[in-house]
Amino acid sequence: DAGVTQSPTHLIKTRGQHVTLRCSPISGHKSVSWYQQVLGQGPQFIFQYYEKEERGRGNFPDRFSARQFPNYSSELNVNALLLGDSALYLCASSKGNTGELFFGEGSRLTVL
Amino acid sequence: GEDVEQSLFLSVREGDSSVINCTYTDSSSTYLYWYKQEPGAGLQLLTYIFSNMDMKQDQRLTVLLNKKDKHLSLRIADTQTGDSAIYFCAEIYTGGFKTIFGAGTRLFVKA
């Protein structure tokens, strides 16, 4: 069975641009969460979606947005990129509303 | 507040036991987790413990929970070079919609 897949794996953007990151959860998982991991730190919670509804949002500015589609895949959008947005963006899926998360390999974003 | 704290580094010799410690703040957490991250990869769930348990053993892994002190530990028996990675302690926040991670403990295993 396929695990959580994320795309793209690596990308480079310049300040002010926007980015869209994509995630496909494990088949049967209805919840998708997004985390930002800055080098040397633990993942920081950005969003959780369950059954296409936003269930939680972390302490991130409105430049960050996300959505979940009917097939439970998800997109994370970041507008007006800043240098500090450079990080590994991790998507995780779970069967329900629990912390038993299954992570993808991440999308590494570099903002120049 | 939300905070999970871990020591940043641990170095052990191959074959020894490793003990990684963690403290957390949310006393109402129902689940506590240990995740492993290898270089360039996402996180992998290693094990978890319910808050009404004191100990859980899973092959070479032993998790100890002290709810009074809000202290969680992960013991890896017979540590191997393949265990070298970053280990994250995590708690599920009240409401269940987010998981709070520590900064991670980098485990170095010397042959």
Side-chain angles (χ1 to χ4, degrees):
Chain A
D1 286 343
V4 176
T5 57
Q6 293 187 243
S7 64
T9 55
H10 297 80
L11 68 167
I12 299 173
K13 294 285 188 178
T14 56
R15 282 178 296 176
Q17 288 188 312
H18 74 273
V19 67
T20 298
L21 307 177
R22 296 177 177 82
C23 172
S24 293
I26 291 172
S27 177
H29 286 191
K30 298 180 179 180
S31 176
V32 169
S33 300
W34 287 95
Y35 287 81
Q36 181 196 63
Q37 187 179 22
V38 173
L39 195 63
Q41 296 182 19
Q44 297 293 312
F45 174 77
I46 310 176
F47 287 109
Q48 190 204 51
Y49 278 78
Y50 180 71
E51 287 276 18
K52 294 162 283 185
E53 290 189 5
E54 181 184 306
R55 287 300 178 92
R57 182 187 181 111
N59 189 23
F60 281 81
D62 292 343
R63 300 185 295 109
F64 288 76
S65 64
R67 55 180 176 167
Q68 188 177 31
F69 298 100
N71 66 354
Y72 302 111
S73 67
S74 178
E75 283 183 354
L76 175 70
N77 293 283
V78 187
N79 293 325
L81 286 167
L82 303 174
L83 296 179
D85 295 331
S86 295
L88 180 67
Y89 288 86
L90 294 164
C91 173
S93 74
S94 59
K95 283 186 179 179
N97 215 15
T98 72
E100 194 170 345
L101 302 171
F102 295 82
F103 282 87
E105 299 283 299
S107 294
R108 185 165 295 282
L109 171 65
T110 301
V111 181
L112 301 176
Chain B
E2 312 165 7
D3 201 11
V4 176
E5 294 190 356
Q6 305 177 235
S7 53
L8 294 182
F9 298 99
L10 176 65
S11 180
V12 300
R13 292 188 181 277
E14 191 174 24
D16 288 349
S17 292
S18 307
V19 179
I20 302 171
N21 295 300
C22 164
T23 57
Y24 60 96
T25 55
D26 188 353
S27 59
S28 61
S29 288
T30 52
Y31 298 88
L32 294 140
Y33 301 85
W34 285 102
Y35 285 83
K36 175 183 180 182
Q37 186 176 35
E38 297 186 14
L43 278 70
Q44 172 194 1
L45 178 65
L46 280 180
T47 187
Y48 63 92
I49 188 168
F50 292 108
S51 59
N52 62 358
M53 298 170 65
D54 299 323
M55 185 183 83
K56 179 180 179 181
Q57 188 151 1
D58 184 1
Q59 299 182 332
R60 292 191 298 122
L61 305 178
T62 303
V63 179
L64 294 178
L65 175 60
N66 181 329
K67 282 195 72 176
K68 175 176 172 290
D69 295 336
K70 298 180 188 173
H71 183 266
L72 185 72
S73 68
L74 174 69
R75 178 178 180 268
I76 305 173
D78 187 26
T79 311
Q80 303 297 307
T81 55
D83 294 324
S84 293
I86 303 175
Y87 291 81
F88 293 94
C89 170
E91 63 172 339
I92 188 162
Y93 190 63
T94 304
F97 65 83
K98 67 177 175 179
T99 300
I100 309 298
F101 289 85
T105 299
R106 186 178 292 275
L107 175 64
F108 296 93
V109 183
K110 296 175 285 189

